[in-house]
Structures are given as structure tokens and as C-alpha cells.
């Protein structure tokens, strides 16, 4: 069974930093379009940062210059380094993969369970 498991969330003061990790487990050949989304209370889920199928990166305007997405392909893991955090970054952060090629076939739009990030004094 293929799973995306996030970790690294928590409570941090404004201006602080956090590093999120998302590890894909299971019998996986390849993963495409892996990235991070977030959902704040009462708001729609939004893209934070992701790798495109071609390997480039996309960032939400609100996080450009503060957040950095990176990955370890050998470990099927993606990271989100978050610096200069603001209260408006408070949300549940979700990892998502657009497509996963597994021993049992292709999976599309696979989500993790989410990890809470709270930015507060």
C-alpha cells in the first residue's frame, strides 16, 4: 500500500522556521508532481510549492523567498523549508503526489494525512 506521511509540523513564533518532510512508502517505481498544499480554517486548500512533472518548481506568491521545496529522489521524500514564518502561514500542510507509478499500476492525486503548522507568539 502506497502512503505519503508528513512530519515536522508544530508551533513556532513569528519569524521562526520549520522544516516539513513527506516520505512516500510502498512499492514505488517513480513519483511525479510531488509538492505541498495547505488549508487554513475556513479557507480552501491552496498550493504552497511543488515540483512539476518536468522537474521545475512552482511557488505560491505568498511564500516566494521564504519557503524552499527540495527532494531526495532516492528516498522518495520531499521537504519544505519554511523561514520567516508569519501568523497567516498557520494551516494544515498536506503533501500530494500527482502521479505515482507502483508495482500495481498508476495512482493519481495521492494525499498525505496533513501536519499542523501554527505560527503564534
Amino acid at each position: 500500500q502506497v502512503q505519503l506521511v508528513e512530519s515536522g509540523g508544530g508551533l513556532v513564533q513569528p519569524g521562526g522556521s520549520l522544516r516539513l518532510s513527506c516520505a512516500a512508502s510502498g512499492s514505488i517505481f517513480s513519483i511525479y508532481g510531488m509538492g505541498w498544499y495547505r488549508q487554513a480554517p475556513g479557507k480552501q486548500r491552496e498550493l504552497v510549492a511543488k515540483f512539476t512533472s518536468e522537474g521545475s518548481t512552482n511557488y505560491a506568491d505568498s511564500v516566494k523567498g521564504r519557503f524552499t521545496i527540495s527532494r531526495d529522489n532516492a528516498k522518495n521524500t520531499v521537504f519544505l523549508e519554511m523561514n520567516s514564518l508569519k501568523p497567516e502561514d498557520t494551516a494544515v500542510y498536506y503533501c500530494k503526489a500527482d502521479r505515482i507509478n507502483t508495482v500495481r499500476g498508476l495512482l493519481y492525486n495521492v494525499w498525505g494525512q496533513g501536519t499542523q503548522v501554527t505560527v503564534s507568539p
Side-chain angles (χ1 to χ4, degrees), residues 84-96:
S84 302
L85 282 161
K86 306 174 181 179
E88 51 264 43
D89 294 317
T90 295
V92 178
Y93 283 69
Y94 296 91
C95 178
K96 175 182 177 280

Side-chain angles (χ1 to χ4, degrees), residues 56-88:
S56 60
T57 54
N58 288 338
Y59 289 92
D61 288 342
S62 59
V63 307
K64 284 181 181 177
R66 300 188 297 123
F67 292 10
T68 302
I69 190 170
S70 61
R71 61 187 174 183
D72 184 338
N73 290 332
K75 296 182 178 180
N76 290 327
T77 300
V78 67
F79 306 95
L80 186 68
E81 188 74 35
M82 304 186 293
N83 298 314
S84 302
L85 282 161
K86 306 174 181 179
E88 51 264 43

Side-chain angles (χ1 to χ4, degrees), residues 1 3 9 13-14 19-20 25 30 35-36 52 68 79 82-84 94 100 106 108 110 115-117 120:
Q1 182 178 0
Q3 287 184 314
Q13 292 185 341
R19 188 183 194 223
L20 305 183
S25 63
S30 56
W36 293 93
T52 68
T68 302
F79 306 95
M82 304 186 293
N83 298 314
S84 302
Y94 296 91
I100 302 178
L106 291 172
Y108 295 92
V110 180
T115 184
Q116 177 70 46
V117 172
S120 179

